[in-house]
Amino acid sequence: MMEEAPTDNKRRRISAADGSHQGVSCLSDLPSGILAHAASFLAAPSKVLFAVALDENSDALPNERSAAIVGNQWDILDFGEIEEDLAVKLSDAHIEKVLLCIDAVNNVKRLKLANCIHIDGTGLEPLRGSLIIEQIDLSLAGDHQENFLGARPPVSCDRVLPILDSIIEREGCALMYLQFPFSFVWYCEERSRFSDFHAFMLRYNQMWGNREETSCLECNTRLPTDGHEDCYQCEGCGRIFCKECSDPGATDFERTCGGCHDTRCDDCRFERFQFGHNCAECMKTIGPLLADECKRLCQEVEQLKVEIKELRSKS
């Protein structure tokens, strides 16, 4: 019968790069080559998160080890490739470290933040001034998911728009596709034509105008600037909408009112209504907005009643 080898002989030691022996007490003690091989079996975003986790206490990203793990082929970074349970836990700090780790400003052409519903946009700072980014999907929805996520995500115009401005203002900007969260367009505080979001969209359309193209405010479809045959332009705010995004209440594609003969978007018609313009034909096209406004006012009245009741109970 063969004798069992001593336990000590079964233990293996990893040789360091300099040929000396060192014990391995944690993953970060392993050589970069072994870590890179292990990471090659992970989805692309998980690979970067793995590298970031190993260098959690390092202020310098990328470094030699992280570069060996993540490589340099990063045309596409799609968080839809990882489990939704993991993506929803990511913060802006995580996103920023991931983008720094892969040198996103010089490498990433397509970024999709699927299911990253707990970010406010601060983590996108490493993309500032990118000349190679072609697509940024901020809808936070994964493939085959509705853009409307129910509860309003924390992603903020105040955080995101300055970064996007730094991209579109660069000569040679490659950006071709932007998709925004549902909340940017539809929530009440974003619907005014004076909002930062719509001001950005005018600048974005101007960028396309310089390329002899423009894009629909709602769906971002690119449209020719000559003639606008497949779109209409609001006479009030100058924004452009494609045919598919023309509201169901419109009496004709041109959005020209049969009563007052103006061509305006719903936002501008709603604003005119607030200032006393009560054209019945215009009001037909903004029925949903009027219903939402009525609901909002009723909620404010109920809230005021509660506050008044509380004040009376304290007096």
Side-chain angles (χ1 to χ4, degrees):
M1 180 180 295
M2 295 182 62
E3 294 183 2
E4 186 176 349
T7 305
D8 289 345
N9 291 339
K10 293 182 179 179
R11 295 177 180 171
R12 297 177 180 266
R13 290 182 176 274
I14 305 298
S15 294
D18 60 1
S20 62
H21 294 283
Q22 72 177 38
V24 177
S25 59
C26 61
L27 278 176
S28 59
D29 292 333
L30 290 169
S32 298
I34 293 178
L35 294 171
H37 180 70
S40 67
F41 295 94
L42 300 173
S46 294
K47 183 188 299 185
V48 195
L49 290 168
F50 176 59
V52 168
L54 289 173
D55 291 302
E56 185 174 3
N57 297 322
S58 173
D59 293 329
L61 284 173
N63 54 43
E64 183 177 348
R65 178 168 59 190
S66 66
I69 294 173
V70 303
N72 56 12
Q73 298 299 315
W74 284 101
D75 286 356
I76 301 173
L77 177 59
D78 182 1
F79 285 90
E81 296 179 8
I82 62 176
E83 295 83 357
E84 182 176 350
D85 289 346
L86 172 58
V88 299
K89 295 177 182 178
L90 297 179
S91 66
D92 283 280
H94 294 127
I95 300 299
E96 182 175 18
K97 288 182 178 180
V98 165
L99 295 177
L100 288 172
C101 187
I102 61 177
D103 191 21
V105 69
N106 294 312
N107 288 314
V108 174
K109 294 182 179 180
R110 297 174 58 191
L111 173 65
K112 300 182 71 175
L113 294 164
N115 301 311
C116 298
I117 59 174
H118 289 131
I119 65 171
D120 63 17
T122 308
L124 301 178
E125 187 65 31
L127 287 176
R128 183 177 288 274
S130 173
L131 283 172
I132 70 166
I133 191 80
E134 297 175 356
Q135 175 185 1
I136 302 177
D137 186 347
L138 295 168
S139 69
L140 310 184
D143 292 338
H144 313 299
Q145 290 182 338
E146 292 290 340
N147 196 354
F148 181 66
L149 301 175
R152 185 180 186 184
V155 63
S156 165
C157 282
D158 294 339
R159 302 287 190 271
V160 171
L161 296 186
I163 298 170
L164 296 180
D165 269 322
S166 75
I167 294 173
I168 67 173
E169 70 187 9
R170 296 285 303 275
E171 185 176 353
C173 165
L175 190 62
M176 295 187 292
Y177 182 83
L178 271 175
Q179 187 168 2
F180 294 102
F182 188 89
S183 59
F184 272 33
V185 180
W186 290 105
Y187 278 87
C188 293
E189 60 268 37
E190 305 293 349
R191 290 191 61 82
S192 167
R193 68 186 176 103
F194 299 107
S195 73
D196 291 338
F197 173 67
H198 288 133
F200 168 79
M201 287 305 301
L202 292 175
R203 294 191 295 273
Y204 182 57
N205 277 333
Q206 181 60 50
M207 179 197 74
W208 281 111
N210 295 337
R211 297 181 184 178
E212 298 185 351
E213 289 183 281
T214 190
S215 61
C216 172
L217 176 73
E218 297 290 349
C219 68
N220 209 53
T221 298
R222 285 177 294 177
L223 302 161
T225 54
D226 294 335
H228 296 295
E229 294 179 356
D230 294 323
C231 57
Y232 76 88
Q233 185 169 20
C234 174
E235 294 177 354
C237 62
R239 293 178 294 163
I240 297 168
F241 299 83
C242 72
K243 183 175 182 179
E244 279 65 31
C245 293
S246 183
D247 302 283
T251 54
D252 57 64
F253 171 63
E254 294 296 333
R255 289 302 305 272
T256 301
C257 174
C260 61
H261 306 292
D262 71 346
T263 303
R264 294 178 184 265
C265 65
D266 284 353
D267 290 340
C268 289
R269 286 182 175 170
F270 181 69
E271 184 178 356
R272 294 184 81 195
F273 167 78
Q274 290 178 309
F275 283 93
H277 180 80
N278 297 325
C279 171
E281 292 299 317
C282 285
M283 291 173 65
K284 289 179 182 179
T285 67
I286 58 172
L289 287 180
L290 295 176
D292 288 343
E293 178 68 2
C294 181
K295 182 178 179 181
R296 185 187 67 81
L297 291 174
C298 288
Q299 290 174 340
E300 285 189 3
V301 169
E302 293 302 317
Q303 181 61 33
L304 287 172
K305 288 181 179 179
V306 171
E307 292 177 1
I308 291 172
K309 185 175 180 180
E310 291 177 352
L311 288 172
R312 286 177 175 174
S313 65
K314 292 178 181 179
S315 59

